[in-house]
Amino acid sequence: MRPNSTYRFLWKVVGEDEQILYNCGKRTQAVFAISGLLFLLLSLIGILSYRYVFNGIFKIPTISWFLALMWTIIIFNIYKLNLSTLSANKPKYSVGYVISLIIRIVFMVLIGITLIKPLEAFIFNKSLSKGLSKVIAEKIENSSKKSNMYFDAEIANVKEELSQLGRQANEGRISIGNEKFSFLNEKKQLLLDEKGRTLSETHDLFNPSNLFFIGLLVFNKENPWIWFFTLSFLVIFLLPLFLKFSVSPRGKYVQDRIALQKHMILEEYGKFKLLYPQVFGNFSKSQIVWEENYEDSPFNTQRKPNIIKLGKESDFLNQIHGL
């Protein structure tokens, strides 16, 4: 099939080899085109989701778009890197490769969760706002209660001290000036002012921006059904991976890609062997030779047998004694 420009663009988006796919069958071309389309759609969702997060934290609507775009580019480059390194071109998988595969899939799932959770909050914003308002009210109530208890106790002590001084002065038991009463009255007023300021700061402290992530936690805790939505999205998020593994490791695309990579490696290795003696300009080229210790250089999986011949012990002794 002769692919159109849209197919070729989608292949580039997902990081697949356009030259090889150009000569592959319709099914293989369609698989990677769908993968590229999903990648684009997920990227757009990422911008909306992360913009909601940045705006919820910093309350800067315009700049949040720029921050979300930059963060989406970073995250989806990591996503593409994991996707491109998860190769399905092995007929058999070693234990090390399976472990590596699992680790990278888990990492991709974590990326997907950071993407979907803010999106859920954006879609169900009313429920989140309700949960967040509840959290804020509880935080303010608890903090205000503690502040009121402290200041009310201090103010009560000052009032008690003023009352006691007044009784003692009226009974003629003590003789004091107005300075003591003025000091206590000023202290009481300062405590009243500090109490009002503390309560106002409490309301400012527990605002939606500071409790944004707590609101997300409360929203997920009070709405457990949302995890079905999360799992469905994660399946879509990992679908490019499943599509890549649906391509047969013995198919044309995988085999041509392996052959191309092998050809490129051998070509560069041949150039290296030709240029290697030129590095040592002061020596004769016949004296500088790149020694290959493997049968399949440069892949180095089959080591050459050791063909060094050692002399006998008697020959060594004869050489020492000059015999």
Side-chain angles (χ1 to χ4, degrees):
M1 174 183 176
R2 187 179 181 84
N4 55 36
S5 58
T6 303
Y7 264 45
R8 295 197 297 271
F9 170 73
L10 293 174
W11 296 338
K12 290 179 181 178
V13 166
V14 81
E16 297 299 333
D17 197 309
E18 177 187 356
Q19 294 179 343
I20 298 177
L21 281 171
Y22 195 86
N23 298 313
C24 289
K26 294 181 180 180
R27 180 185 178 279
T28 304
Q29 291 179 350
V31 163
F32 288 109
I34 294 172
S35 182
L37 180 61
L38 285 171
F39 189 89
L40 282 179
L41 293 176
L42 291 171
S43 299
L44 294 175
I45 292 174
I47 294 174
L48 293 174
S49 181
Y50 293 132
R51 188 265 175 183
Y52 181 76
V53 172
F54 285 118
N55 188 51
I57 297 173
F58 302 113
K59 298 300 179 183
I60 43 176
T62 304
I63 301 178
S64 293
W65 284 110
F66 175 75
L67 295 176
L69 177 62
M70 293 297 101
W71 188 249
T72 301
I73 291 173
I74 294 172
I75 289 297
F76 275 86
N77 270 311
I78 298 174
Y79 175 78
K80 184 189 288 187
L81 177 63
N82 278 271
L83 186 63
S84 61
T85 55
L86 290 173
S87 176
N89 59 7
K90 295 186 177 183
K92 295 182 179 180
Y93 298 101
S94 63
V95 175
Y97 182 83
V98 172
I99 294 174
S100 173
L101 181 67
I102 293 173
I103 291 174
R104 283 179 285 182
I105 291 176
V106 169
F107 187 72
M108 292 175 70
V109 169
L110 294 177
I111 292 176
I113 291 176
T114 66
L115 183 70
I116 184 57
K117 285 306 176 183
L119 180 65
E120 293 170 351
F122 175 75
I123 296 173
F124 305 100
N125 187 48
K126 290 184 178 179
S127 299
L128 176 64
S129 299
K130 183 179 178 181
L132 188 55
S133 299
K134 182 180 178 181
V135 172
I136 292 174
E138 291 177 355
K139 293 285 185 181
I140 291 176
E141 182 181 358
N142 293 334
S143 182
S144 298
K145 187 180 295 184
K146 293 179 182 178
S147 298
N148 284 329
M149 289 177 61
Y150 169 76
F151 285 107
D152 288 346
E154 291 295 319
I155 293 171
N157 290 336
V158 174
K159 287 181 177 180
E160 177 63 25
E161 192 173 352
L162 280 170
S163 177
Q164 186 177 0
L165 284 175
R167 288 196 303 270
Q168 291 174 349
N170 292 332
E171 293 172 0
R173 295 169 55 187
I174 59 173
S175 177
I176 58 173
N178 293 328
E179 292 82 5
K180 183 65 173 178
F181 283 100
S182 298
F183 171 77
L184 290 175
N185 284 319
E186 289 178 1
K187 182 178 180 181
K188 183 179 71 172
Q189 188 60 44
L190 286 172
L191 287 169
L192 289 171
D193 294 342
E194 186 65 24
K195 177 182 177 181
R197 186 163 52 250
T198 300
L199 293 176
S200 177
E201 291 175 351
T202 300
H203 283 78
D204 293 337
L205 177 63
F206 296 111
N207 58 60
S209 296
N210 296 336
L211 298 177
F212 180 77
F213 289 107
I214 295 179
L216 289 178
L217 293 175
V218 172
F219 172 71
N220 282 273
K221 182 179 179 180
E222 295 184 350
N223 300 278
W225 56 267
I226 201 67
W227 286 100
F228 292 103
F229 188 89
T230 303
L231 292 175
S232 301
F233 179 85
L234 287 177
V235 171
I236 298 174
F237 188 77
L238 295 176
L239 191 54
L241 172 64
F242 301 147
L243 290 172
K244 187 167 187 177
F245 272 81
S246 70
V247 178
S248 173
R250 295 182 177 86
K252 180 176 176 56
Y253 175 71
V254 174
Q255 293 301 316
D256 286 357
R257 191 170 184 177
I258 293 174
L260 178 60
Q261 292 172 348
K262 185 175 181 180
H263 174 75
M264 292 172 60
I265 293 172
L266 292 173
E267 184 179 4
E268 292 299 320
Y269 183 64
K271 292 179 182 179
F272 164 75
K273 289 196 296 182
L274 290 175
L275 295 174
Y276 180 75
Q278 299 178 14
V279 177
F280 305 90
N282 297 329
F283 295 88
S284 172
K285 292 184 179 181
S286 61
Q287 296 176 296
I288 306 299
V289 179
W290 175 256
E291 184 178 356
E292 295 180 340
N293 297 317
Y294 292 85
E295 297 285 355
D296 58 343
S297 297
F299 304 103
N300 299 344
T301 61
Q302 301 175 12
R303 192 171 183 85
K304 291 181 178 180
N306 190 352
I307 57 175
I308 299 176
K309 294 182 179 181
L310 300 177
K312 297 180 181 179
E313 182 181 353
S314 58
D315 296 332
F316 177 66
L317 293 173
N318 290 334
Q319 185 178 5
I320 291 177
H321 294 93
L323 299 177

